[in-house]
Amino acid sequence: MNKRVEEALNQQIEKEASSSQFYLAMASWAENQGLNGTAKFLYKHSDEERFHMLKLVKFVNERGGTAVIPGLSTPPSEFESLPNVFSLLLEHELKVTESINEVVDVCLQEKDYTTHNFMQWYVSEQLEEEALARTILDKIQLIGGDKGGLYLFDRDLENASIQPENVGNQAN
Ligand code: OFO
């Protein structure tokens, strides 16, 4: 496997693993706040990111490279508020999108069209995840300090899958 591509993919493995840990920390915080629906959603999101990481690990190894399993820094255990959690999540996803675009760029420079093709899955996944984070953030901002609204929001998020359309419909 092309060395630059391998390096870029290994960096992406680290990003996906860190995302998983970050969302796991958010899930745990939400659980301790009694926001069980939000916690369930974030636990699921954390699992998704772990799956993204695994998919990369397997791809690198199958293509003759060596996947590097990274050590990770400790994510925060405290968050200011629910809006803070979801704005951090959106910010984080935007960074992940940037780094996926960088991997795609390296693939093109190195004329590695197989990896380029493989990365397209991540490109569309990011589109969905960004849209989802924006939808959720909009809803939270709309609710503001309304306790009843928050209760309904949390309940609806419990049933939401990682699909923007679903959250849009259910949180209405
Ligand atoms: Fe949403 O980060 Fe994975 O791809």
PDB file of all heavy atoms in Angstrom, residues 31-45:
ATOM      1  N   GLU A  31     -26.188  10.530  30.735  1.00  0.00           N
ATOM      2  CA  GLU A  31     -26.822   9.511  31.579  1.00  0.00           C
ATOM      3  C   GLU A  31     -26.879   9.995  33.030  1.00  0.00           C
ATOM      4  O   GLU A  31     -27.898   9.853  33.707  1.00  0.00           O
ATOM      5  CB  GLU A  31     -26.031   8.217  31.481  1.00  0.00           C
ATOM      6  CG  GLU A  31     -26.706   7.027  32.088  1.00  0.00           C
ATOM      7  CD  GLU A  31     -26.054   5.737  31.629  1.00  0.00           C
ATOM      8  OE1 GLU A  31     -24.850   5.547  31.933  1.00  0.00           O
ATOM      9  OE2 GLU A  31     -26.722   4.939  30.964  1.00  0.00           O
ATOM     10  N   ASN A  32     -25.785  10.596  33.475  1.00  0.00           N
ATOM     11  CA  ASN A  32     -25.738  11.100  34.854  1.00  0.00           C
ATOM     12  C   ASN A  32     -26.621  12.328  35.085  1.00  0.00           C
ATOM     13  O   ASN A  32     -26.913  12.662  36.226  1.00  0.00           O
ATOM     14  CB  ASN A  32     -24.299  11.408  35.264  1.00  0.00           C
ATOM     15  CG  ASN A  32     -23.553  10.145  35.626  1.00  0.00           C
ATOM     16  OD1 ASN A  32     -24.171   9.160  36.056  1.00  0.00           O
ATOM     17  ND2 ASN A  32     -22.250  10.136  35.433  1.00  0.00           N
ATOM     18  N   GLN A  33     -27.034  12.977  33.995  1.00  0.00           N
ATOM     19  CA  GLN A  33     -27.952  14.119  34.121  1.00  0.00           C
ATOM     20  C   GLN A  33     -29.407  13.649  34.061  1.00  0.00           C
ATOM     21  O   GLN A  33     -30.315  14.468  34.059  1.00  0.00           O
ATOM     22  CB  GLN A  33     -27.761  15.122  32.964  1.00  0.00           C
ATOM     23  CG  GLN A  33     -26.344  15.647  32.773  1.00  0.00           C
ATOM     24  CD  GLN A  33     -25.833  16.425  33.965  1.00  0.00           C
ATOM     25  OE1 GLN A  33     -26.515  17.302  34.458  1.00  0.00           O
ATOM     26  NE2 GLN A  33     -24.660  16.055  34.441  1.00  0.00           N
ATOM     27  N   GLY A  34     -29.616  12.360  33.912  1.00  0.00           N
ATOM     28  CA  GLY A  34     -30.978  11.822  33.799  1.00  0.00           C
ATOM     29  C   GLY A  34     -31.543  11.984  32.397  1.00  0.00           C
ATOM     30  O   GLY A  34     -32.739  11.774  32.176  1.00  0.00           O
ATOM     31  N   LEU A  35     -30.693  12.333  31.433  1.00  0.00           N
ATOM     32  CA  LEU A  35     -31.144  12.480  30.040  1.00  0.00           C
ATOM     33  C   LEU A  35     -30.939  11.137  29.330  1.00  0.00           C
ATOM     34  O   LEU A  35     -30.008  10.961  28.527  1.00  0.00           O
ATOM     35  CB  LEU A  35     -30.346  13.597  29.347  1.00  0.00           C
ATOM     36  CG  LEU A  35     -30.527  14.997  29.937  1.00  0.00           C
ATOM     37  CD1 LEU A  35     -29.423  15.944  29.473  1.00  0.00           C
ATOM     38  CD2 LEU A  35     -31.906  15.548  29.543  1.00  0.00           C
ATOM     39  N   ASN A  36     -31.813  10.195  29.644  1.00  0.00           N
ATOM     40  CA  ASN A  36     -31.567   8.829  29.185  1.00  0.00           C
ATOM     41  C   ASN A  36     -31.687   8.651  27.681  1.00  0.00           C
ATOM     42  O   ASN A  36     -30.976   7.843  27.081  1.00  0.00           O
ATOM     43  CB  ASN A  36     -32.507   7.857  29.906  1.00  0.00           C
ATOM     44  CG  ASN A  36     -32.150   7.779  31.373  1.00  0.00           C
ATOM     45  OD1 ASN A  36     -31.022   8.101  31.758  1.00  0.00           O
ATOM     46  ND2 ASN A  36     -33.111   7.378  32.211  1.00  0.00           N
ATOM     47  N   GLY A  37     -32.606   9.403  27.068  1.00  0.00           N
ATOM     48  CA  GLY A  37     -32.768   9.310  25.615  1.00  0.00           C
ATOM     49  C   GLY A  37     -31.531   9.837  24.904  1.00  0.00           C
ATOM     50  O   GLY A  37     -31.017   9.207  23.969  1.00  0.00           O
ATOM     51  N   THR A  38     -31.051  10.974  25.386  1.00  0.00           N
ATOM     52  CA  THR A  38     -29.846  11.572  24.804  1.00  0.00           C
ATOM     53  C   THR A  38     -28.660  10.630  24.999  1.00  0.00           C
ATOM     54  O   THR A  38     -27.851  10.435  24.084  1.00  0.00           O
ATOM     55  CB  THR A  38     -29.559  12.934  25.480  1.00  0.00           C
ATOM     56  OG1 THR A  38     -30.737  13.732  25.395  1.00  0.00           O
ATOM     57  CG2 THR A  38     -28.403  13.639  24.842  1.00  0.00           C
ATOM     58  N   ALA A  39     -28.580  10.037  26.190  1.00  0.00           N
ATOM     59  CA  ALA A  39     -27.482   9.113  26.481  1.00  0.00           C
ATOM     60  C   ALA A  39     -27.525   7.932  25.516  1.00  0.00           C
ATOM     61  O   ALA A  39     -26.501   7.558  24.925  1.00  0.00           O
ATOM     62  CB  ALA A  39     -27.573   8.628  27.920  1.00  0.00           C
ATOM     63  N   LYS A  40     -28.704   7.388  25.316  1.00  0.00           N
ATOM     64  CA  LYS A  40     -28.831   6.222  24.431  1.00  0.00           C
ATOM     65  C   LYS A  40     -28.374   6.581  23.008  1.00  0.00           C
ATOM     66  O   LYS A  40     -27.648   5.835  22.354  1.00  0.00           O
ATOM     67  CB  LYS A  40     -30.293   5.756  24.428  1.00  0.00           C
ATOM     68  CG  LYS A  40     -30.484   4.411  23.767  1.00  0.00           C
ATOM     69  CD  LYS A  40     -31.910   3.940  23.891  1.00  0.00           C
ATOM     70  CE  LYS A  40     -32.174   2.825  22.894  1.00  0.00           C
ATOM     71  NZ  LYS A  40     -33.590   2.555  22.732  1.00  0.00           N
ATOM     72  N   PHE A  41     -28.810   7.751  22.572  1.00  0.00           N
ATOM     73  CA  PHE A  41     -28.442   8.223  21.243  1.00  0.00           C
ATOM     74  C   PHE A  41     -26.919   8.381  21.120  1.00  0.00           C
ATOM     75  O   PHE A  41     -26.303   7.972  20.139  1.00  0.00           O
ATOM     76  CB  PHE A  41     -29.144   9.560  20.971  1.00  0.00           C
ATOM     77  CG  PHE A  41     -28.678  10.252  19.723  1.00  0.00           C
ATOM     78  CD1 PHE A  41     -29.219   9.910  18.492  1.00  0.00           C
ATOM     79  CD2 PHE A  41     -27.696  11.228  19.772  1.00  0.00           C
ATOM     80  CE1 PHE A  41     -28.783  10.539  17.334  1.00  0.00           C
ATOM     81  CE2 PHE A  41     -27.258  11.854  18.622  1.00  0.00           C
ATOM     82  CZ  PHE A  41     -27.801  11.517  17.404  1.00  0.00           C
ATOM     83  N   LEU A  42     -26.312   8.968  22.152  1.00  0.00           N
ATOM     84  CA  LEU A  42     -24.864   9.215  22.102  1.00  0.00           C
ATOM     85  C   LEU A  42     -24.054   7.918  22.244  1.00  0.00           C
ATOM     86  O   LEU A  42     -22.997   7.775  21.629  1.00  0.00           O
ATOM     87  CB  LEU A  42     -24.461  10.230  23.170  1.00  0.00           C
ATOM     88  CG  LEU A  42     -24.907  11.673  22.882  1.00  0.00           C
ATOM     89  CD1 LEU A  42     -24.787  12.546  24.125  1.00  0.00           C
ATOM     90  CD2 LEU A  42     -24.092  12.292  21.738  1.00  0.00           C
ATOM     91  N   TYR A  43     -24.556   6.979  23.037  1.00  0.00           N
ATOM     92  CA  TYR A  43     -23.880   5.670  23.116  1.00  0.00           C
ATOM     93  C   TYR A  43     -23.872   5.020  21.730  1.00  0.00           C
ATOM     94  O   TYR A  43     -22.883   4.436  21.291  1.00  0.00           O
ATOM     95  CB  TYR A  43     -24.589   4.739  24.107  1.00  0.00           C
ATOM     96  CG  TYR A  43     -24.229   4.974  25.569  1.00  0.00           C
ATOM     97  CD1 TYR A  43     -25.219   5.150  26.540  1.00  0.00           C
ATOM     98  CD2 TYR A  43     -22.897   4.994  25.992  1.00  0.00           C
ATOM     99  CE1 TYR A  43     -24.900   5.359  27.875  1.00  0.00           C
ATOM    100  CE2 TYR A  43     -22.578   5.208  27.326  1.00  0.00           C
ATOM    101  CZ  TYR A  43     -23.573   5.387  28.260  1.00  0.00           C
ATOM    102  OH  TYR A  43     -23.250   5.598  29.579  1.00  0.00           O
ATOM    103  N   LYS A  44     -25.002   5.147  21.062  1.00  0.00           N
ATOM    104  CA  LYS A  44     -25.132   4.564  19.713  1.00  0.00           C
ATOM    105  C   LYS A  44     -24.177   5.267  18.735  1.00  0.00           C
ATOM    106  O   LYS A  44     -23.547   4.636  17.896  1.00  0.00           O
ATOM    107  CB  LYS A  44     -26.589   4.743  19.238  1.00  0.00           C
ATOM    108  CG  LYS A  44     -27.172   3.485  18.647  1.00  0.00           C
ATOM    109  CD  LYS A  44     -28.527   3.627  17.985  1.00  0.00           C
ATOM    110  CE  LYS A  44     -29.533   4.547  18.617  1.00  0.00           C
ATOM    111  NZ  LYS A  44     -30.752   4.749  17.838  1.00  0.00           N
ATOM    112  N   HIS A  45     -24.107   6.582  18.882  1.00  0.00           N
ATOM    113  CA  HIS A  45     -23.226   7.362  18.016  1.00  0.00           C
ATOM    114  C   HIS A  45     -21.759   6.963  18.255  1.00  0.00           C
ATOM    115  O   HIS A  45     -20.958   6.861  17.316  1.00  0.00           O
ATOM    116  CB  HIS A  45     -23.447   8.858  18.301  1.00  0.00           C
ATOM    117  CG  HIS A  45     -23.090   9.753  17.151  1.00  0.00           C
ATOM    118  ND1 HIS A  45     -22.399   9.320  16.052  1.00  0.00           N
ATOM    119  CD2 HIS A  45     -23.331  11.073  16.929  1.00  0.00           C
ATOM    120  CE1 HIS A  45     -22.228  10.321  15.208  1.00  0.00           C
ATOM    121  NE2 HIS A  45     -22.787  11.401  15.724  1.00  0.00           N
TER     122      HIS A  45
END
